Amino acid sequence: MGASLGAPLASANDQTQSPQRHKHHHRHVAEASKPATNTPSPAPGYAPAAALNGDEHAARKTGRSAQSGDGESLLVTGRSMNILNDPIGIGRMPQDIMHTPQTVNAVPRILMEQQNVKSLDEALRDVPGVTASVGEGEGGMSGDQFLIRGFQAQNDIYENGLRDFGVYTRDSFDYDHISVIKGPSSEVFGNGTTGGAINITTKVAHLGNNYGAQFSGGSGEYYRGTLDFNQQIGEHTAIRITGMGNENNEVGRDNIYSHRWGLAPSIGFGLGTKTTFTLEYFHQSDNRIPDYGVPVITKPGTAIARPATEYGLNRHNWYGTNYDQDVTNENMLTGRLQSEISQYITVFDDLRGGMYQRWFSASQPGCDTTCASEFFTDPSAATVDRRGHLGGPEPYQQNDWSVQNVFSVLAKFKTGSIKHEMIAGWDVEHVYDRRTNYAYNFNGQNGTASDTTSLVHPSHTQTGLLLGGAGQYQSNLVNISGVGRALYKTGDATDVGAFFSEQMWVAPWFSIKGGFRWDHWNSHYSANGGMVGGGVHYGQQQDTFNPTVSLMYTPSKNTMVYFNWARSTTPLGLYVTNSSEPLKSSTQGFKPEQSSLYELGIKQQFFHGRLGATASVFRLEKGNAMMTDPSTGTVSSSSDRQRNQGVELSLSGQILKNWNVIGTYAYYDATTTWSLTAADVGKRIQYAPKNMATLWTTYTIAPDTPWNVTFGGGLTWRDAVYLNAANTARVPHTMDWDAMISHNIGHRWRMALNGYNLTNRVNYSNLFSDRATPSVGRTFLGSLSFTY
């Protein structure tokens, strides 16, 4: 199967947490159904299959066994792109996707390799219901800001089950696979996860030796190199180093570029034994230009605003200045311990510390009614205001740090004929954010003079525009309602949580799972200095309780029917690092957002596990929705109640020999069911499309021959999306056709050519309340990779 997938050969993966995989590497293993994760062998009723390493793919292709570090062999069989056999990758969710009673979309490593994915944003385009935004409000936020099923998820990005608090654009060089758990998941991940959670499983050290690299180049002066080096240095110890260097402009957008590099070394101790410890360090540096897109305007005589590019505005237009910049440095150190105390008890302890530095300055184009009117009558007179839209932009230096520890125990036992699997533990985290705000000076004068440029022919230079140092031009700092013109802002939060769940098999074919998580949330926010007077200081603490209940019917190892109910809470001050105002005064009437999920689904495997399919119907209800004012960026509690209900379908795996496919479809009926603004009742939820679909398929001709070739291609389609609660602004549907062709040279080398947006359609990636960012134009990238 390795050749038929068209993947780079043996690009060593290896489910990091994989003590079970090599525990008995002195004997040959011939079944693909052996467990491949760090979790104990599945409880009765589970049937996870192995997730193969890159070296295992190579062994399958060559007909030889993969070599372990001591020269002994491991004989394995390959598998298709069926994601149901993939583990989610964290101890608190030990089952594979097949036996997880919730909609889970996975982006497997083989898919990312075929599509030559380079960032988290690119990978999530394969998942329906995920929408990208750059962040609203004073100062903007940029970085990875996602919505799941129309609900904010910018604080719900995890790596190996631990929260990643950084505000940056994540490169994918260190990714093994990605899981998107749809719907409330507070019982597992803690507060937040209203729409779902994004969990990234990274590449870490494993037994065996693998050495690989890839070099890419193409449109937009694109140059990229990655390396993946794994070396076994003892019977149970190995080191791994993955690295990346990337430099590119963006096709279809003027002045947009990214220059970044990253390094992620790891070392694993006790691999192949009952107790393993993995230490992983991650660093990424990025210097990029933020892109806040083009204005959304209303044509005279119409009621719905659309991006100006839909009326002939040049898609290349960028409305920033020479000061615009997003420079980030991220450092995370993670230690993960797993110990199988006995056949009944397994203990996990995961600890991470993170430090994040960021300088951010971005122009946010505002086109008012005069600007829009002139665009249709006298385009040369239409003027965009770059400074003063949404209360900013306001440049700032951001310095954050965080620490999180999750301890959990997995117990499996029987009481009579009833089988049990219990998970219990605690989660403690603290995050701190400090920002120093800066202001612009215009023509040497303090004041509010505008920084403008032509809508049709913008210029990135502005005569007389100066960016002051810390404390300069304080009267030009953004005036935040209730806060003032603050020079410094700090925010912090501490969360102490405890969780418990049990899955109980009352019969071999029927189980019940129930669980809860309690959290004590304590957060603070202060703004001082500048012209804020004595400053403001807010603080609040809150206890939250989030339960979940699931029923699972498994008449065979290839079928599961389930029902799931779950609840999540988003307390005040949750978005410490990625919100312009992480906390509001308790006197402003804010209440925590709460959401509840009701889901009924079926998961089915065909052809001895080579093909997997899922279908689910769900209803997601959310109360006390937070809203952002499009003119000021002020965040307020709307008390709106919103409902998203619909259907999600997926198909993944091998249809015929050498033919693989992964596809998804989602239908969303997303509606505001109650609001203080009566006119908004019955309107669609902003950013939630009615229909979404993805498809990717590959076919290999003459595998295992010198003239082999793999063809692949697919579609990403998203229905039109409303940008505000009133449904008066909308971006059209997205239709993106991609393709690839690859050839394996022997068993170690691979050449590939990828094409993106082949029709050169004007699609839109990042969305805002009154702007939209045109996505990349037609692009071609060639790559050469090898693995030994």
Side-chain angles (χ1 to χ4, degrees), residues 577-592:
T577 61
N578 47 17
S579 173
S580 57
E581 292 176 75
L583 184 63
K584 288 287 190 176
S585 167
S586 58
T587 62
Q588 293 179 268
F590 277 59
K591 295 181 180 179

mmCIF file of all heavy atoms in Angstrom, residues 577-592:
data_model
loop_
_atom_site.group_PDB
_atom_site.id
_atom_site.type_symbol
_atom_site.label_atom_id
_atom_site.label_comp_id
_atom_site.label_asym_id
_atom_site.label_seq_id
_atom_site.Cartn_x
_atom_site.Cartn_y
_atom_site.Cartn_z
ATOM 1 N N THR A 577 -4.187 35.410 25.888
ATOM 2 C CA THR A 577 -3.130 35.809 24.965
ATOM 3 C C THR A 577 -3.652 36.250 23.608
ATOM 4 O O THR A 577 -2.944 36.942 22.880
ATOM 5 C CB THR A 577 -2.144 34.645 24.753
ATOM 6 O OG1 THR A 577 -2.840 33.535 24.184
ATOM 7 C CG2 THR A 577 -1.508 34.236 26.065
ATOM 8 N N ASN A 578 -4.865 35.836 23.239
ATOM 9 C CA ASN A 578 -5.333 36.134 21.890
ATOM 10 C C ASN A 578 -6.658 36.885 21.873
ATOM 11 O O ASN A 578 -7.556 36.586 21.108
ATOM 12 C CB ASN A 578 -5.431 34.853 21.054
ATOM 13 C CG ASN A 578 -6.138 33.738 21.789
ATOM 14 O OD1 ASN A 578 -6.821 33.977 22.784
ATOM 15 N ND2 ASN A 578 -5.986 32.519 21.313
ATOM 16 N N SER A 579 -6.746 37.893 22.733
ATOM 17 C CA SER A 579 -7.875 38.816 22.702
ATOM 18 C C SER A 579 -7.347 40.197 23.031
ATOM 19 O O SER A 579 -6.419 40.351 23.826
ATOM 20 C CB SER A 579 -8.946 38.408 23.726
ATOM 21 O OG SER A 579 -9.967 39.383 23.800
ATOM 22 N N SER A 580 -7.928 41.228 22.406
ATOM 23 C CA SER A 580 -7.473 42.581 22.685
ATOM 24 C C SER A 580 -7.805 42.986 24.115
ATOM 25 O O SER A 580 -7.070 43.726 24.752
ATOM 26 C CB SER A 580 -8.109 43.568 21.702
ATOM 27 O OG SER A 580 -9.520 43.476 21.763
ATOM 28 N N GLU A 581 -8.929 42.512 24.630
ATOM 29 C CA GLU A 581 -9.303 42.741 26.025
ATOM 30 C C GLU A 581 -9.670 41.384 26.634
ATOM 31 O O GLU A 581 -10.785 40.904 26.473
ATOM 32 C CB GLU A 581 -10.499 43.683 26.126
ATOM 33 C CG GLU A 581 -10.206 45.107 25.690
ATOM 34 C CD GLU A 581 -11.457 45.971 25.711
ATOM 35 O OE1 GLU A 581 -11.880 46.340 26.817
ATOM 36 O OE2 GLU A 581 -12.012 46.227 24.637
ATOM 37 N N PRO A 582 -8.735 40.749 27.346
ATOM 38 C CA PRO A 582 -9.015 39.408 27.821
ATOM 39 C C PRO A 582 -10.089 39.322 28.891
ATOM 40 O O PRO A 582 -10.606 38.242 29.134
ATOM 41 C CB PRO A 582 -7.665 38.945 28.372
ATOM 42 C CG PRO A 582 -6.786 40.117 28.405
ATOM 43 C CD PRO A 582 -7.384 41.198 27.598
ATOM 44 N N LEU A 583 -10.423 40.431 29.531
ATOM 45 C CA LEU A 583 -11.407 40.371 30.609
ATOM 46 C C LEU A 583 -12.177 41.671 30.679
ATOM 47 O O LEU A 583 -11.622 42.745 30.491
ATOM 48 C CB LEU A 583 -10.709 40.099 31.951
ATOM 49 C CG LEU A 583 -11.604 39.905 33.177
ATOM 50 C CD1 LEU A 583 -12.468 38.668 32.994
ATOM 51 C CD2 LEU A 583 -10.750 39.776 34.424
ATOM 52 N N LYS A 584 -13.474 41.563 30.907
ATOM 53 C CA LYS A 584 -14.327 42.733 31.087
ATOM 54 C C LYS A 584 -14.665 42.912 32.565
ATOM 55 O O LYS A 584 -14.582 41.976 33.357
ATOM 56 C CB LYS A 584 -15.629 42.558 30.296
ATOM 57 C CG LYS A 584 -15.452 42.679 28.791
ATOM 58 C CD LYS A 584 -15.220 44.111 28.384
ATOM 59 C CE LYS A 584 -15.282 44.280 26.874
ATOM 60 N NZ LYS A 584 -15.142 45.676 26.467
ATOM 61 N N SER A 585 -15.093 44.116 32.933
ATOM 62 C CA SER A 585 -15.538 44.370 34.289
ATOM 63 C C SER A 585 -16.790 43.552 34.577
ATOM 64 O O SER A 585 -17.670 43.396 33.728
ATOM 65 C CB SER A 585 -15.839 45.858 34.479
ATOM 66 O OG SER A 585 -16.538 46.073 35.687
ATOM 67 N N SER A 586 -16.873 43.013 35.789
ATOM 68 C CA SER A 586 -18.046 42.213 36.163
ATOM 69 C C SER A 586 -19.313 43.048 36.186
ATOM 70 O O SER A 586 -20.423 42.502 36.156
ATOM 71 C CB SER A 586 -17.827 41.582 37.546
ATOM 72 O OG SER A 586 -17.594 42.596 38.518
ATOM 73 N N THR A 587 -19.159 44.387 36.210
ATOM 74 C CA THR A 587 -20.342 45.252 36.223
ATOM 75 C C THR A 587 -20.945 45.427 34.835
ATOM 76 O O THR A 587 -21.996 46.042 34.694
ATOM 77 C CB THR A 587 -19.981 46.634 36.785
ATOM 78 O OG1 THR A 587 -19.005 47.246 35.922
ATOM 79 C CG2 THR A 587 -19.400 46.512 38.180
ATOM 80 N N GLN A 588 -20.291 44.886 33.795
ATOM 81 C CA GLN A 588 -20.774 45.070 32.436
ATOM 82 C C GLN A 588 -21.750 43.976 32.007
ATOM 83 O O GLN A 588 -22.124 43.914 30.847
ATOM 84 C CB GLN A 588 -19.589 45.131 31.467
ATOM 85 C CG GLN A 588 -18.729 46.376 31.679
ATOM 86 C CD GLN A 588 -17.555 46.419 30.730
ATOM 87 O OE1 GLN A 588 -16.466 45.948 31.043
ATOM 88 N NE2 GLN A 588 -17.754 47.001 29.566
ATOM 89 N N GLY A 589 -22.133 43.119 32.917
ATOM 90 C CA GLY A 589 -23.189 42.160 32.631
ATOM 91 C C GLY A 589 -22.777 40.950 31.830
ATOM 92 O O GLY A 589 -23.623 40.279 31.239
ATOM 93 N N PHE A 590 -21.502 40.637 31.796
ATOM 94 C CA PHE A 590 -21.036 39.481 31.025
ATOM 95 C C PHE A 590 -21.353 38.181 31.763
ATOM 96 O O PHE A 590 -21.202 38.082 32.968
ATOM 97 C CB PHE A 590 -19.537 39.574 30.770
ATOM 98 C CG PHE A 590 -19.191 40.430 29.597
ATOM 99 C CD1 PHE A 590 -19.558 41.761 29.537
ATOM 100 C CD2 PHE A 590 -18.487 39.899 28.530
ATOM 101 C CE1 PHE A 590 -19.225 42.549 28.460
ATOM 102 C CE2 PHE A 590 -18.149 40.686 27.430
ATOM 103 C CZ PHE A 590 -18.519 42.012 27.402
ATOM 104 N N LYS A 591 -21.752 37.207 31.001
ATOM 105 C CA LYS A 591 -21.969 35.873 31.539
ATOM 106 C C LYS A 591 -21.180 34.872 30.696
ATOM 107 O O LYS A 591 -20.964 35.105 29.512
ATOM 108 C CB LYS A 591 -23.458 35.505 31.518
ATOM 109 C CG LYS A 591 -24.330 36.374 32.419
ATOM 110 C CD LYS A 591 -25.778 35.939 32.351
ATOM 111 C CE LYS A 591 -26.649 36.799 33.249
ATOM 112 N NZ LYS A 591 -28.080 36.396 33.176
ATOM 113 N N PRO A 592 -20.746 33.766 31.276
ATOM 114 C CA PRO A 592 -19.982 32.780 30.498
ATOM 115 C C PRO A 592 -20.814 32.216 29.355
ATOM 116 O O PRO A 592 -22.026 32.005 29.487
ATOM 117 C CB PRO A 592 -19.654 31.685 31.523
ATOM 118 C CG PRO A 592 -19.844 32.328 32.849
ATOM 119 C CD PRO A 592 -20.904 33.364 32.673
#
